[in-house]
């Protein structure tokens, strides 16, 4: 392969640029810098007092939609616009800076001018007679790979006039440029159709997967996923064990006395369901029918939300971002200590009700509560029950500024308790079904 060289016209210096050349190009094509075939500028800065309904249109990022200029949401300013910042037909407008890194670099050709227009300070303009071909380049991997390189990170922060002018572009002969542009215009509508169909299919598959998963969980918590086995007995003994366990934890100060509050839910001779709290009996509606070998309780009977042990000493902060793998661990000096394998529930924010299994010892974030589950229960069964109600919990948050978990709703959920071995068989069936859905 022959080497590539670049001559600096200002100094006469010649240097080899082999390391910059990303691929070989056909004979008759040439590599060049964008600055050699275009003029580019960063846009207009203006202040709020200059915004006026009678002013010049200022194009912004929101005016570039699906590769086209859209004037649905426009700002106008009354300000003298220099000639280089006046938008003309066939200019290319580029988003040069944005709060969302994904939007930086999106572009569109200005195909029509009905009145004077300029562009904002977070935008750039590229003026070139080769606008059709350059517009293709600005949508290519070659453009975006160079944009990532000058950002110094995999996240694109901004496009400056200086680094844009230095981008390499492979230029074919003029007639070939026209043919490329025409061919892409022929192909893109077909690609877009297939892309939309694929997007619809992906969405359908995702929805189907979620619906099937929810149906499996519903079958599970209704007692329809596995058969009942008479030899496994009933769940009544479990309730006595749970009651004794809670009483012991209250004595040790690990649960509040309120955890001992309970109710009795039973089926009357009239086939209706009733709940007894103290001496008061009330008829209630159940969400499902349950097998006769199951016991029926409110969720607070088998699990509780607690604050965890407050202590000091360097530990990793287990906040939501860290638990989702979106940030590295922060070490803090004090907090509410939880241990590897514990369950903690997000109780503040949009995703209230989400449960995490603690991956390591550390301090749970301030938006979490520790989720205590009775050791007499098979823990994954309770977690599957909570998973089934995740949308209900998420959509029933309380509070306006910072929405938080509706604890009354959470504790009041009615849960069917199978015998312990049946709980295990239910979870095994759920896990097997989850493998088949992958």
């Amino acid at each position: 392969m022959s080497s590539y060289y670049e001559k600096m016209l200002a100094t006469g210096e010649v240097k080899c640029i082999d390391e910059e050349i990303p691929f070989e190009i056909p004979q008759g094509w040439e590599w060049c810098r964008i600055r050699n075939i275009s003029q580019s500028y960063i846009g207009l800065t203006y202040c709020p007092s200059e915004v006026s309904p009678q002013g010049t249109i200022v194009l912004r990022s929101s005016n570039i939609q699906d590769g086209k200029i859209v004037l649905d949401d426009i700002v106008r300013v009354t300000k003298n616009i220099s000639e280089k910042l006046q938008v003309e037909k066939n200019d290319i407008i580029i988003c040069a800076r944005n709060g969302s890194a994904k939007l930086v670099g999106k572009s569109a050709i200005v195909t029509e001018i009905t009145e004077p227009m300029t562009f904002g300070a977070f935008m750039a303009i590229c003026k070139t007679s080769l606008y059709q071909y350059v517009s293709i380049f600005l949508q290519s991997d070659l453009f975006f790979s160079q944009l990532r390189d000058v950002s110094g990170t995999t996240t694109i922060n901004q496009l400056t006039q200086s680094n844009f002018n230095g981008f390499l572009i492979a230029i074919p002969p003029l007639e070939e440029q026209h043919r490329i542009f025409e061919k892409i215009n022929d192909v893109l509508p077909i690609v877009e159709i297939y892309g939309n169909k694929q997007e619809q299919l992906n969405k359908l598959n995702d929805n189907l997967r979620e619906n099937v998963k929810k149906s499996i969980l519903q079958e599970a918590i209704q007692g329809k996923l596995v058969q009942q086995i008479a030899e496994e007995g009933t769940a009544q003994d479990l309730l006595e064990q749970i009651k004794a366990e809670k009483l012991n934890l209250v004595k040790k100060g690990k649960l509040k006395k309120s955890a001992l509050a309970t109710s009795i839910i039973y089926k009357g001779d009239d086939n209706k369901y009733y709940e007894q709290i103290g001496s008061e009996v009330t008829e209630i509606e159940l969400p499902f029918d349950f097998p006769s070998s199951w016991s029926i309780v409110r969720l607070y009977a088998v699990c509780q939300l607690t604050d965890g042990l407050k202590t000091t000493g360097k530990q990793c902060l287990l906040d939501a971002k860290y638990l989702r793998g979106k940030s590295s661990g922060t070490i803090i000096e004090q907090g509410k200590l939880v241990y590897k394998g514990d369950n903690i529930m997000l109780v503040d924010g949009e995703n209230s009700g989400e449960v995490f299994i603690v991956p390591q010892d550390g301090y749970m974030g301030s938006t979490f509560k520790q989720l205590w589950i009775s050791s007499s229960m098979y823990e994954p069964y309770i977690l599957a029950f909570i998973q089934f109600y995740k949308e209900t919990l998420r959509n029933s948050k309380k509070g306006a500024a910072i929405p938080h978990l509706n604890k009354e709703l959470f504790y009041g959920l009615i849960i069917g308790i199978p015998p312990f071995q049946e709980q295990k068989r239910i979870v095994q069936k759920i896990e097997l079904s989850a493998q088949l859905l992958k």
Side-chain angles (χ1 to χ4, degrees):
M1 180 184 77
S2 299
S3 290
Y4 288 89
Y5 295 88
E6 182 176 15
K7 183 176 183 179
M8 307 300 166
L9 296 180
T11 62
E13 178 190 359
V14 177
K15 66 174 184 177
C16 179
I17 58 169
D18 283 347
E19 290 185 358
E20 290 188 64
I21 301 300
F23 50 79
E24 285 297 298
I25 53 177
Q27 187 174 0
W29 289 42
E30 297 290 343
W31 285 106
C32 75
R33 305 286 181 184
I34 280 284
R35 61 172 171 261
N36 300 133
I37 59 168
S38 70
Q39 293 177 304
S40 63
Y41 307 101
I42 297 298
L44 179 76
T45 300
Y46 58 90
C47 58
S49 62
E50 293 171 318
V51 175
S52 169
Q54 287 75 43
T56 301
I57 292 176
V58 181
L59 295 177
R60 299 169 298 153
S61 175
S62 59
N63 298 123
I64 301 178
Q65 298 180 19
D66 298 324
K68 298 178 182 178
I69 300 294
V70 178
L71 301 179
D72 291 341
D73 176 25
I74 59 173
V75 167
R76 296 174 182 269
V77 297
T78 52
K79 188 171 183 175
N80 290 329
I81 311 298
S82 66
E83 184 177 351
K84 68 181 183 180
L85 298 185
Q86 292 174 9
V87 176
E88 300 175 310
K89 184 178 179 180
N90 299 332
D91 285 345
I92 304 174
I93 301 295
I94 310 167
C95 177
R97 184 179 174 188
N98 195 282
S100 172
K102 293 181 179 180
L103 299 180
V104 176
K106 72 172 182 174
S107 60
I109 298 175
V110 179
T111 58
E112 185 179 14
I113 298 287
T114 56
E115 59 177 295
M117 289 192 292
T118 184
F119 53 104
F122 286 6
M123 309 297 288
I125 197 168
C126 178
K127 294 176 175 285
T128 174
S129 61
L130 308 181
Y131 64 91
Q132 291 180 328
Y133 181 74
V134 171
S135 72
I136 296 171
F137 164 73
L138 292 176
Q139 299 173 61
S140 70
D141 286 342
L142 176 58
F143 168 70
F144 283 101
S145 66
Q146 293 180 85
L147 185 51
R148 283 191 293 270
D149 288 343
V150 298
S151 298
T153 173
T154 55
T155 301
I156 299 171
N157 295 315
Q158 64 179 343
L159 176 66
T160 68
Q161 185 177 7
S162 175
N163 59 42
F164 178 70
N165 281 335
F167 284 178
L168 282 170
I169 179 172
I171 302 293
L174 187 59
E175 290 302 318
E176 188 171 348
Q177 291 180 38
H178 294 324
R179 294 198 306 272
I180 291 172
F181 184 77
E182 290 171 359
K183 188 68 173 180
I184 286 181
N185 281 342
D186 289 340
V187 172
L188 280 183
I190 300 172
V191 173
E192 186 174 355
I193 290 172
Y194 278 99
N196 290 337
K197 295 296 184 185
Q198 185 63 51
E199 187 176 333
Q200 292 172 14
L201 180 60
N202 291 343
K203 187 175 181 180
L204 180 63
N205 286 336
D206 289 341
N207 290 339
L208 179 61
R209 189 177 291 107
E210 282 302 310
N211 289 336
V212 171
K213 183 178 178 181
K214 187 167 185 178
S215 295
I216 291 169
L217 290 175
Q218 181 167 335
E219 294 284 290
I221 64 175
Q222 283 184 263
K224 296 181 178 180
L225 195 60
V226 300
Q227 290 184 340
Q228 282 71 53
I229 299 176
E231 288 75 16
E232 291 178 350
T234 69
Q236 191 58 42
D237 289 342
L238 291 181
L239 297 186
E240 294 301 321
Q241 294 170 22
I242 293 168
K243 183 178 178 181
E245 180 184 10
K246 288 165 68 175
L247 183 60
N248 184 43
L249 291 174
V250 168
K251 288 179 179 178
K252 292 181 178 180
K254 295 184 178 181
L255 286 181
K256 294 180 179 179
K257 285 186 178 180
S258 58
L260 297 177
T262 187
S263 67
I264 299 172
I265 298 175
Y266 62 93
K267 190 174 187 179
D269 294 336
D270 55 3
N271 286 326
K272 295 180 180 179
Y273 284 91
Y274 297 89
E275 181 174 22
Q276 181 177 345
I277 302 175
S279 60
E280 185 176 345
V281 177
T282 307
E283 183 182 344
I284 61 171
E285 293 285 337
L286 296 190
F288 319 111
D289 286 326
F290 297 100
S292 59
S293 57
W294 289 27
S295 294
I296 305 168
V297 297
R298 300 280 183 183
L299 188 57
Y300 69 80
V302 295
C303 68
Q304 293 283 316
L305 295 172
T306 67
D307 287 334
L309 176 65
K310 191 170 184 178
T311 186
T312 58
K314 292 182 179 181
Q315 292 285 352
C316 180
L317 174 61
L318 307 172
D319 60 3
K321 286 186 178 179
Y322 176 76
L323 293 171
R324 294 191 180 107
K326 294 183 178 180
S327 71
S328 55
T330 301
I331 303 300
I332 59 175
E333 299 290 338
Q334 61 182 353
K336 294 175 180 177
L337 184 64
V338 288
Y339 298 98
K340 181 178 180 180
D342 286 348
N343 297 297
I344 58 176
M345 176 178 283
L346 195 60
V347 294
D348 288 326
E350 291 300 317
N351 293 311
S352 295
E354 186 175 3
V355 178
F356 294 88
I357 298 176
V358 176
Q360 65 180 77
D361 295 357
Y363 295 129
M364 63 180 174
S366 60
T367 59
F368 285 93
K369 292 278 189 183
Q370 189 167 4
L371 177 64
W372 172 84
I373 298 174
S374 169
S375 61
S376 297
M377 297 293 297
Y378 187 54
E379 185 178 282
Y381 175 76
I382 300 297
L383 295 177
F385 176 86
I386 295 173
Q387 173 72 12
F388 175 76
Y389 280 103
K390 71 174 184 178
E391 290 301 323
T392 300
L393 296 171
R394 186 174 297 168
N395 295 331
S396 303
K397 299 180 296 291
K398 298 174 68 176
I402 302 178
H404 51 269
L405 180 72
N406 186 332
K407 291 182 185 176
E408 292 80 10
L409 173 65
F410 175 73
Y411 280 140
L413 292 172
I414 292 176
I415 178 172
I417 306 296
F420 189 83
Q421 291 302 318
E422 186 174 343
Q423 293 179 38
K424 294 182 71 173
R425 290 191 291 112
I426 288 171
V427 171
Q428 289 171 356
K429 194 65 176 286
I430 291 173
E431 292 174 345
L432 177 60
S433 300
Q435 291 294 324
L436 297 175
L437 286 174
K438 287 183 177 180

